Amino acid sequence: MPPENPDEQAAVAATIDRMKAAEKKGRGGYRPGAGRIAERGPTRVMRIPDAYREAVVALMEHLDATAPINYRYAPVESEPLFLRSLHGKAQRLIFKTIPVDFSRAAPPQPVMRTADSEPDSSNFAIDRCDNST
C-alpha cells in the first residue's frame, strides 16, 4: 500500500532512486580487473595444516630474500626452523637457495623416448603417463 502523505511518497521515491543509482555504480561482485595485484605474481589457494603454517611463511620469506641472487653468489641457507611433523616428530628445516649458471652448462633436458626404445628406470614416470591413456 503506497504512502498517502506526499512527503512520504517523495521520500520513498528518493530511496528507490538511490537504490537504482547504487546498482549502476558497479560496486561489489566480480568485475574484470578488480582487486589488488599480487606482489609475488599469480597465486593459488591451498589448504595448509596449521602445523606447517610457520614453515610456509619462512619459505616465502627466504625466497623473497634470495630473489635477486644469481650465479655470481654463493648458496644461501636460511636459519634453522624447528617444527613438529603431523605425527608429532621434532624436525629441523633449512631452506637452501643454490644459484644456477645456465651459460656454462646446458639446462636439464626432458627424457625423450621413441616407440622402439627400451623403457628404463629414468623415464618410468613418463612410461606410466603414456600407458595410462
Side-chain angles (χ1 to χ4, degrees):
M1 181 163 135
E4 296 177 12
N5 185 347
D7 291 334
E8 289 178 15
Q9 288 178 351
V12 168
T15 302
I16 291 173
D17 290 341
R18 278 196 309 269
M19 290 172 64
K20 287 181 181 177
E23 290 174 5
K24 293 178 185 176
K25 286 183 183 178
R27 295 178 58 175
Y30 173 79
R31 294 177 319 283
R36 183 173 53 163
I37 297 174
E39 296 174 3
R40 294 182 177 105
T43 60
R44 183 103 40 226
V45 177
M46 295 177 61
R47 295 176 63 100
I48 299 172
D50 287 338
Y52 294 157
R53 183 184 181 284
E54 187 178 349
V56 171
V57 170
L59 172 63
M60 290 171 52
E61 289 172 354
H62 176 75
L63 292 174
D64 288 344
T66 59
I69 72 169
N70 60 23
Y71 69 92
R72 293 184 176 107
Y73 290 80
V76 179
E77 284 190 3
S78 68
E79 293 293 321
L81 175 68
F82 296 95
L83 62 108
R84 293 208 172 264
S85 69
L86 293 178
H87 299 289
K89 306 293 183 192
Q91 297 176 337
R92 181 176 63 156
L93 186 62
I94 299 173
F95 301 112
K96 185 174 185 178
T97 302
I98 303 172
V100 178
D101 182 7
F102 283 122
S103 65
R104 296 183 185 185
Q109 298 295 320
V111 176
M112 300 304 290
R113 214 181 109 225
T114 60
D116 58 340
S117 66
E118 196 64 33
D120 63 1
S121 61
S122 66
N123 56 10
F124 176 74
I126 296 172
D127 290 336
R128 210 70 181 144
C129 292
D130 290 344
N131 294 335
S132 64
T133 57

